[in-house]
């Protein structure tokens, strides 16, 4: 069954947002804080973790980055003194990334830039009265998608 006009309009708007907003957030963070959006998200997840550390595999999963991309990103953050990477004490095969005090300070200085970007790029363009309903609806979709196993990608 085809989408209704309202469903089609909503779907197309969501797809446009998903495509465009990461570029704006990345650009705003680079310009305002010297971090990419991926770097910001990585140190944010570390800041919220117990002892401000996560296994690299868990960090890659939390940020939706590949293991190799996460390794390169953490190595770069480590070279800048924002994180450390050490062998896991519970599993010598894995590594653990840990946020340093310098990394925490960088996150705190980047947070207002991120907040301003999110407000300017998203919330300033949506009616305040609609936020609760939109948040509830999109959270339900996200919850369903996160609880559903992903289908294998088909190779073309």
């Amino acid at each position: 069954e085809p989408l209704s006009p309202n469903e089609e309009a909503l779907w197309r708007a969501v797809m446009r947002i998903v495509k465009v907003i990461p570029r704006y957030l990345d650009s705003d963070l680079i310009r305002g804080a010297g971090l990419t959006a991926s770097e910001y998200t990585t140190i944010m997840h570390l800041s919220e973790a117990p002892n401000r550390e996560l296994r690299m595999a868990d960090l890659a999963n939390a940020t939706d980055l590949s293991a190799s991309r996460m390794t390169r990103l953490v190595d770069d953050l480590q070279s800048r003194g924002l994180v450390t990477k050490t062998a896991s004490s519970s599993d010598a095969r894995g590594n653990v990334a840990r946020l340093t005090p310098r990394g925490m300070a960088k996150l705190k200085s980047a947070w207002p830039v991120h907040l301003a970007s999110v407000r300017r790029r998203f919330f300033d363009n949506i009616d305040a009265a609609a936020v609760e309903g939109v948040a509830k609806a999109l959270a339900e979709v996200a919850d369903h998608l996160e609880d559903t196993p992903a289908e294998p990608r088909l190779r073309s």
Side-chain angles (χ1 to χ4, degrees), residues 81-105:
L82 304 177
V83 302
T84 59
K85 185 171 76 171
T86 57
S88 171
S89 59
S90 62
D91 176 8
R93 294 175 298 149
N95 288 309
V96 173
R98 183 172 202 183
L99 190 63
T100 64
R102 183 175 178 179
M104 190 65 189

PDB file of all heavy atoms in Angstrom, residues 81-105:
ATOM      1  N   GLY A  81      46.140  13.544  23.588  1.00  0.00           N
ATOM      2  CA  GLY A  81      46.050  13.510  25.043  1.00  0.00           C
ATOM      3  C   GLY A  81      44.634  13.505  25.590  1.00  0.00           C
ATOM      4  O   GLY A  81      44.435  13.732  26.786  1.00  0.00           O
ATOM      5  N   LEU A  82      43.649  13.194  24.743  1.00  0.00           N
ATOM      6  CA  LEU A  82      42.261  13.231  25.189  1.00  0.00           C
ATOM      7  C   LEU A  82      41.772  11.891  25.731  1.00  0.00           C
ATOM      8  O   LEU A  82      40.829  11.853  26.531  1.00  0.00           O
ATOM      9  CB  LEU A  82      41.349  13.709  24.049  1.00  0.00           C
ATOM     10  CG  LEU A  82      41.713  15.072  23.442  1.00  0.00           C
ATOM     11  CD1 LEU A  82      40.805  15.417  22.277  1.00  0.00           C
ATOM     12  CD2 LEU A  82      41.687  16.162  24.505  1.00  0.00           C
ATOM     13  N   VAL A  83      42.376  10.811  25.291  1.00  0.00           N
ATOM     14  CA  VAL A  83      42.052   9.470  25.782  1.00  0.00           C
ATOM     15  C   VAL A  83      43.342   8.666  25.905  1.00  0.00           C
ATOM     16  O   VAL A  83      44.373   9.040  25.341  1.00  0.00           O
ATOM     17  CB  VAL A  83      41.059   8.707  24.857  1.00  0.00           C
ATOM     18  CG1 VAL A  83      39.760   9.448  24.675  1.00  0.00           C
ATOM     19  CG2 VAL A  83      41.683   8.378  23.527  1.00  0.00           C
ATOM     20  N   THR A  84      43.240   7.574  26.640  1.00  0.00           N
ATOM     21  CA  THR A  84      44.313   6.579  26.656  1.00  0.00           C
ATOM     22  C   THR A  84      43.723   5.270  26.157  1.00  0.00           C
ATOM     23  O   THR A  84      42.518   5.046  26.245  1.00  0.00           O
ATOM     24  CB  THR A  84      44.891   6.373  28.074  1.00  0.00           C
ATOM     25  OG1 THR A  84      43.839   5.941  28.944  1.00  0.00           O
ATOM     26  CG2 THR A  84      45.532   7.639  28.600  1.00  0.00           C
ATOM     27  N   LYS A  85      44.578   4.418  25.624  1.00  0.00           N
ATOM     28  CA  LYS A  85      44.151   3.093  25.176  1.00  0.00           C
ATOM     29  C   LYS A  85      45.112   2.086  25.775  1.00  0.00           C
ATOM     30  O   LYS A  85      46.327   2.203  25.596  1.00  0.00           O
ATOM     31  CB  LYS A  85      44.153   3.017  23.653  1.00  0.00           C
ATOM     32  CG  LYS A  85      43.602   1.701  23.118  1.00  0.00           C
ATOM     33  CD  LYS A  85      43.407   1.732  21.611  1.00  0.00           C
ATOM     34  CE  LYS A  85      44.704   1.599  20.881  1.00  0.00           C
ATOM     35  NZ  LYS A  85      44.559   1.403  19.430  1.00  0.00           N
ATOM     36  N   THR A  86      44.552   1.147  26.524  1.00  0.00           N
ATOM     37  CA  THR A  86      45.378   0.129  27.169  1.00  0.00           C
ATOM     38  C   THR A  86      44.764  -1.250  26.949  1.00  0.00           C
ATOM     39  O   THR A  86      43.572  -1.364  26.631  1.00  0.00           O
ATOM     40  CB  THR A  86      45.485   0.382  28.689  1.00  0.00           C
ATOM     41  OG1 THR A  86      44.165   0.422  29.247  1.00  0.00           O
ATOM     42  CG2 THR A  86      46.194   1.690  28.989  1.00  0.00           C
ATOM     43  N   ALA A  87      45.581  -2.276  27.135  1.00  0.00           N
ATOM     44  CA  ALA A  87      45.069  -3.640  27.036  1.00  0.00           C
ATOM     45  C   ALA A  87      44.079  -3.880  28.165  1.00  0.00           C
ATOM     46  O   ALA A  87      44.267  -3.413  29.293  1.00  0.00           O
ATOM     47  CB  ALA A  87      46.217  -4.637  27.113  1.00  0.00           C
ATOM     48  N   SER A  88      43.041  -4.608  27.860  1.00  0.00           N
ATOM     49  CA  SER A  88      42.026  -4.927  28.853  1.00  0.00           C
ATOM     50  C   SER A  88      42.601  -5.847  29.926  1.00  0.00           C
ATOM     51  O   SER A  88      43.307  -6.804  29.610  1.00  0.00           O
ATOM     52  CB  SER A  88      40.832  -5.609  28.176  1.00  0.00           C
ATOM     53  OG  SER A  88      39.936  -6.114  29.132  1.00  0.00           O
ATOM     54  N   SER A  89      42.303  -5.555  31.181  1.00  0.00           N
ATOM     55  CA  SER A  89      42.789  -6.415  32.261  1.00  0.00           C
ATOM     56  C   SER A  89      42.016  -7.723  32.317  1.00  0.00           C
ATOM     57  O   SER A  89      42.515  -8.730  32.802  1.00  0.00           O
ATOM     58  CB  SER A  89      42.681  -5.686  33.606  1.00  0.00           C
ATOM     59  OG  SER A  89      41.335  -5.335  33.852  1.00  0.00           O
ATOM     60  N   SER A  90      40.780  -7.737  31.794  1.00  0.00           N
ATOM     61  CA  SER A  90      39.971  -8.954  31.833  1.00  0.00           C
ATOM     62  C   SER A  90      40.103  -9.791  30.561  1.00  0.00           C
ATOM     63  O   SER A  90      39.772 -10.969  30.570  1.00  0.00           O
ATOM     64  CB  SER A  90      38.502  -8.608  32.065  1.00  0.00           C
ATOM     65  OG  SER A  90      38.019  -7.809  31.000  1.00  0.00           O
ATOM     66  N   ASP A  91      40.571  -9.183  29.483  1.00  0.00           N
ATOM     67  CA  ASP A  91      40.702  -9.896  28.212  1.00  0.00           C
ATOM     68  C   ASP A  91      41.886  -9.294  27.457  1.00  0.00           C
ATOM     69  O   ASP A  91      41.768  -8.239  26.846  1.00  0.00           O
ATOM     70  CB  ASP A  91      39.408  -9.744  27.409  1.00  0.00           C
ATOM     71  CG  ASP A  91      39.492 -10.383  26.032  1.00  0.00           C
ATOM     72  OD1 ASP A  91      40.491 -11.082  25.748  1.00  0.00           O
ATOM     73  OD2 ASP A  91      38.564 -10.192  25.238  1.00  0.00           O
ATOM     74  N   ALA A  92      43.000  -9.970  27.497  1.00  0.00           N
ATOM     75  CA  ALA A  92      44.229  -9.435  26.904  1.00  0.00           C
ATOM     76  C   ALA A  92      44.101  -9.191  25.402  1.00  0.00           C
ATOM     77  O   ALA A  92      44.903  -8.478  24.824  1.00  0.00           O
ATOM     78  CB  ALA A  92      45.399 -10.372  27.188  1.00  0.00           C
ATOM     79  N   ARG A  93      43.094  -9.804  24.759  1.00  0.00           N
ATOM     80  CA  ARG A  93      42.929  -9.603  23.319  1.00  0.00           C
ATOM     81  C   ARG A  93      42.301  -8.255  22.997  1.00  0.00           C
ATOM     82  O   ARG A  93      42.451  -7.756  21.899  1.00  0.00           O
ATOM     83  CB  ARG A  93      42.053 -10.710  22.720  1.00  0.00           C
ATOM     84  CG  ARG A  93      42.699 -12.081  22.791  1.00  0.00           C
ATOM     85  CD  ARG A  93      41.753 -13.151  22.304  1.00  0.00           C
ATOM     86  NE  ARG A  93      40.568 -13.175  23.181  1.00  0.00           N
ATOM     87  CZ  ARG A  93      39.347 -13.501  22.797  1.00  0.00           C
ATOM     88  NH1 ARG A  93      39.118 -13.833  21.553  1.00  0.00           N
ATOM     89  NH2 ARG A  93      38.347 -13.499  23.642  1.00  0.00           N
ATOM     90  N   GLY A  94      41.583  -7.674  23.964  1.00  0.00           N
ATOM     91  CA  GLY A  94      40.872  -6.427  23.710  1.00  0.00           C
ATOM     92  C   GLY A  94      41.570  -5.230  24.319  1.00  0.00           C
ATOM     93  O   GLY A  94      42.458  -5.359  25.158  1.00  0.00           O
ATOM     94  N   ASN A  95      41.180  -4.060  23.873  1.00  0.00           N
ATOM     95  CA  ASN A  95      41.700  -2.809  24.401  1.00  0.00           C
ATOM     96  C   ASN A  95      40.572  -2.003  25.023  1.00  0.00           C
ATOM     97  O   ASN A  95      39.411  -2.148  24.648  1.00  0.00           O
ATOM     98  CB  ASN A  95      42.358  -1.979  23.291  1.00  0.00           C
ATOM     99  CG  ASN A  95      43.669  -2.576  22.852  1.00  0.00           C
ATOM    100  OD1 ASN A  95      44.535  -2.868  23.670  1.00  0.00           O
ATOM    101  ND2 ASN A  95      43.833  -2.758  21.551  1.00  0.00           N
ATOM    102  N   VAL A  96      40.965  -1.142  25.945  1.00  0.00           N
ATOM    103  CA  VAL A  96      40.022  -0.268  26.635  1.00  0.00           C
ATOM    104  C   VAL A  96      40.444   1.173  26.372  1.00  0.00           C
ATOM    105  O   VAL A  96      41.623   1.515  26.495  1.00  0.00           O
ATOM    106  CB  VAL A  96      40.034  -0.560  28.154  1.00  0.00           C
ATOM    107  CG1 VAL A  96      39.192   0.454  28.915  1.00  0.00           C
ATOM    108  CG2 VAL A  96      39.550  -1.980  28.427  1.00  0.00           C
ATOM    109  N   ALA A  97      39.470   2.003  26.010  1.00  0.00           N
ATOM    110  CA  ALA A  97      39.720   3.441  25.854  1.00  0.00           C
ATOM    111  C   ALA A  97      39.219   4.127  27.116  1.00  0.00           C
ATOM    112  O   ALA A  97      38.158   3.789  27.637  1.00  0.00           O
ATOM    113  CB  ALA A  97      38.982   3.976  24.638  1.00  0.00           C
ATOM    114  N   ARG A  98      40.009   5.080  27.588  1.00  0.00           N
ATOM    115  CA  ARG A  98      39.642   5.802  28.812  1.00  0.00           C
ATOM    116  C   ARG A  98      39.812   7.301  28.577  1.00  0.00           C
ATOM    117  O   ARG A  98      40.838   7.743  28.041  1.00  0.00           O
ATOM    118  CB  ARG A  98      40.509   5.359  29.979  1.00  0.00           C
ATOM    119  CG  ARG A  98      40.101   6.031  31.270  1.00  0.00           C
ATOM    120  CD  ARG A  98      40.818   5.454  32.444  1.00  0.00           C
ATOM    121  NE  ARG A  98      40.022   5.744  33.624  1.00  0.00           N
ATOM    122  CZ  ARG A  98      40.366   5.436  34.835  1.00  0.00           C
ATOM    123  NH1 ARG A  98      41.492   4.796  35.056  1.00  0.00           N
ATOM    124  NH2 ARG A  98      39.595   5.748  35.845  1.00  0.00           N
ATOM    125  N   LEU A  99      38.826   8.058  28.995  1.00  0.00           N
ATOM    126  CA  LEU A  99      38.866   9.504  28.865  1.00  0.00           C
ATOM    127  C   LEU A  99      39.840  10.091  29.881  1.00  0.00           C
ATOM    128  O   LEU A  99      39.799   9.744  31.060  1.00  0.00           O
ATOM    129  CB  LEU A  99      37.453  10.072  29.094  1.00  0.00           C
ATOM    130  CG  LEU A  99      37.219  11.537  28.780  1.00  0.00           C
ATOM    131  CD1 LEU A  99      37.445  11.831  27.299  1.00  0.00           C
ATOM    132  CD2 LEU A  99      35.799  11.927  29.172  1.00  0.00           C
ATOM    133  N   THR A 100      40.711  10.964  29.427  1.00  0.00           N
ATOM    134  CA  THR A 100      41.668  11.617  30.327  1.00  0.00           C
ATOM    135  C   THR A 100      41.024  12.894  30.893  1.00  0.00           C
ATOM    136  O   THR A 100      40.014  13.376  30.363  1.00  0.00           O
ATOM    137  CB  THR A 100      42.947  12.018  29.568  1.00  0.00           C
ATOM    138  OG1 THR A 100      42.602  12.995  28.579  1.00  0.00           O
ATOM    139  CG2 THR A 100      43.625  10.812  28.923  1.00  0.00           C
ATOM    140  N   PRO A 101      41.618  13.464  31.949  1.00  0.00           N
ATOM    141  CA  PRO A 101      41.115  14.758  32.430  1.00  0.00           C
ATOM    142  C   PRO A 101      41.124  15.825  31.326  1.00  0.00           C
ATOM    143  O   PRO A 101      40.203  16.638  31.234  1.00  0.00           O
ATOM    144  CB  PRO A 101      42.076  15.104  33.572  1.00  0.00           C
ATOM    145  CG  PRO A 101      42.538  13.764  34.081  1.00  0.00           C
ATOM    146  CD  PRO A 101      42.647  12.908  32.837  1.00  0.00           C
ATOM    147  N   ARG A 102      42.146  15.798  30.487  1.00  0.00           N
ATOM    148  CA  ARG A 102      42.203  16.742  29.363  1.00  0.00           C
ATOM    149  C   ARG A 102      41.045  16.495  28.391  1.00  0.00           C
ATOM    150  O   ARG A 102      40.462  17.442  27.847  1.00  0.00           O
ATOM    151  CB  ARG A 102      43.552  16.598  28.661  1.00  0.00           C
ATOM    152  CG  ARG A 102      43.757  17.570  27.537  1.00  0.00           C
ATOM    153  CD  ARG A 102      45.160  17.442  26.992  1.00  0.00           C
ATOM    154  NE  ARG A 102      45.361  18.335  25.878  1.00  0.00           N
ATOM    155  CZ  ARG A 102      46.482  18.451  25.226  1.00  0.00           C
ATOM    156  NH1 ARG A 102      47.533  17.721  25.568  1.00  0.00           N
ATOM    157  NH2 ARG A 102      46.597  19.283  24.222  1.00  0.00           N
ATOM    158  N   GLY A 103      40.719  15.214  28.169  1.00  0.00           N
ATOM    159  CA  GLY A 103      39.588  14.875  27.308  1.00  0.00           C
ATOM    160  C   GLY A 103      38.274  15.340  27.903  1.00  0.00           C
ATOM    161  O   GLY A 103      37.385  15.826  27.190  1.00  0.00           O
ATOM    162  N   MET A 104      38.136  15.206  29.224  1.00  0.00           N
ATOM    163  CA  MET A 104      36.920  15.669  29.890  1.00  0.00           C
ATOM    164  C   MET A 104      36.799  17.185  29.778  1.00  0.00           C
ATOM    165  O   MET A 104      35.709  17.711  29.522  1.00  0.00           O
ATOM    166  CB  MET A 104      36.926  15.228  31.351  1.00  0.00           C
ATOM    167  CG  MET A 104      35.616  15.448  32.058  1.00  0.00           C
ATOM    168  SD  MET A 104      34.340  14.402  31.320  1.00  0.00           S
ATOM    169  CE  MET A 104      32.906  15.062  32.134  1.00  0.00           C
ATOM    170  N   ALA A 105      37.911  17.888  29.928  1.00  0.00           N
ATOM    171  CA  ALA A 105      37.899  19.349  29.782  1.00  0.00           C
ATOM    172  C   ALA A 105      37.513  19.734  28.349  1.00  0.00           C
ATOM    173  O   ALA A 105      36.757  20.693  28.134  1.00  0.00           O
ATOM    174  CB  ALA A 105      39.265  19.923  30.151  1.00  0.00           C
TER     175      ALA A 105
END
